[in-house]
Amino acid sequence: MKKDNNQLVMTLLKGRTFIVLILLVIFFSFASSSFLSLNTLTMVAKHVALYGILALGMTFVIITGGIDLSVGSVVGLVGMLAGGLIQEGFTFGDKTLYFTVPAIIVLMLCVGCLIGWINGIIITKLNVAAFITTLGTMYICRGLANLRSNGATFASIGGFEGLGNVGLKALGADWLGIPAGVYVFAILSFMAAVLLNKTPTGWHFLAVGGNEKSAKLSGIKADQVKIWAYIISGFCAAWIGLINTAQLSAAHPASGDGWEMNAIAATVLGGTSMSGGSGTIIGTIVGAFVIGVINDGMTMCGVSEFWQKIIRGAVIILAVIIDQTQRNLQAKMALQARNESK
């Protein structure tokens, strides 16, 4: 009977995020009569995509036993760089060069990957703790975002027909009634799931996070795996910088402030262990929906922003506690199974 109870508890723990999502939708449906309206659902989907794409990158980082606090600032920096290129172009000497929107998107994705690569190099080659490294790059990126315009906003990112740099706003528009960011989220989620579940590289991420020494002994280049995790995180953050700028039709240096907490919360809620070695893309997607529903639901119910921060913090702590409970129960059940087999 005790064994059956443990299995039931384990099943509930594994499905906890989906259960919480259903309960939240039911609760906010009663708390606000307009929560299930088409406009609200579109708004939630738009925000879920933003948190979700960031969380996809964070999943790879946390699976390898790391953390990336810089992603929110990368969002702001990429937005400012993209907005500046559209509004002012790139000036060298007495000439100004204007890039097409596809070129700007590629350049900004490269910026995100570069920042992730720098984080990875400092962490692996200089042996600086991930928390300290990404905390430092968080401040550096935020400072660079402000320096780009001395703290001002690029209020027009529509581009100019004659210069051939129009089109970025399409990333913030609705396609067939669905926000463009949702399509990007879906594509990146599929790619991330294939990478993590269907390739040897995905197993390397999990192995390094589970036991780095054993992974190295088995021939896995742990440093390269970690560096790639941060590159993926920077790549995802750059996408959010572009999408958020397109949605706002403006670039502001404070964009993305604190969003790294939403990404971490969605990742941990989705079952990715903070100690590394386990996690799923599906779990992260559901976790992003939970964070999106909580944030938008509380806003619609008139909950103070101060209380929202408290609740988000409590959610992160609770998610870690539940994760630790699940790991302890798994270890206990494995021990019981070994004893019974003797």
Side-chain angles (χ1 to χ4, degrees), residues 116-162:
W117 178 80
I118 291 172
N119 280 333
I121 289 294
I122 294 173
I123 291 166
T124 58
K125 304 304 181 183
L126 301 180
N127 294 318
V128 180
F131 181 89
I132 299 301
T133 299
T134 58
L135 180 65
T137 50
M138 177 184 77
Y139 283 113
I140 291 171
C141 290
R142 187 64 67 188
L144 290 173
N146 281 279
L147 283 172
R148 179 61 184 83
S149 62
N150 291 320
T153 299
F154 288 120
S156 175
I157 54 105
F160 307 92
E161 289 284 354

Side-chain angles (χ1 to χ4, degrees), residues 58-67 264 267-268 272-277:
M58 191 68 71
T59 299
F60 286 94
V61 170
I62 294 180
I63 279 178
T64 59
I67 195 76
I264 293 171
T267 304
V268 176
T272 301
S273 174
M274 287 297 292
S275 57

Side-chain angles (χ1 to χ4, degrees), residues 180-209:
V182 174
Y183 292 99
V184 177
F185 182 32
I187 293 170
L188 292 180
S189 295
F190 175 78
M191 293 171 62
V194 171
L195 176 61
L196 189 60
N197 300 323
K198 302 296 183 180
T199 67
T201 303
W203 181 81
H204 291 172
F205 284 115
L206 294 166
V208 169

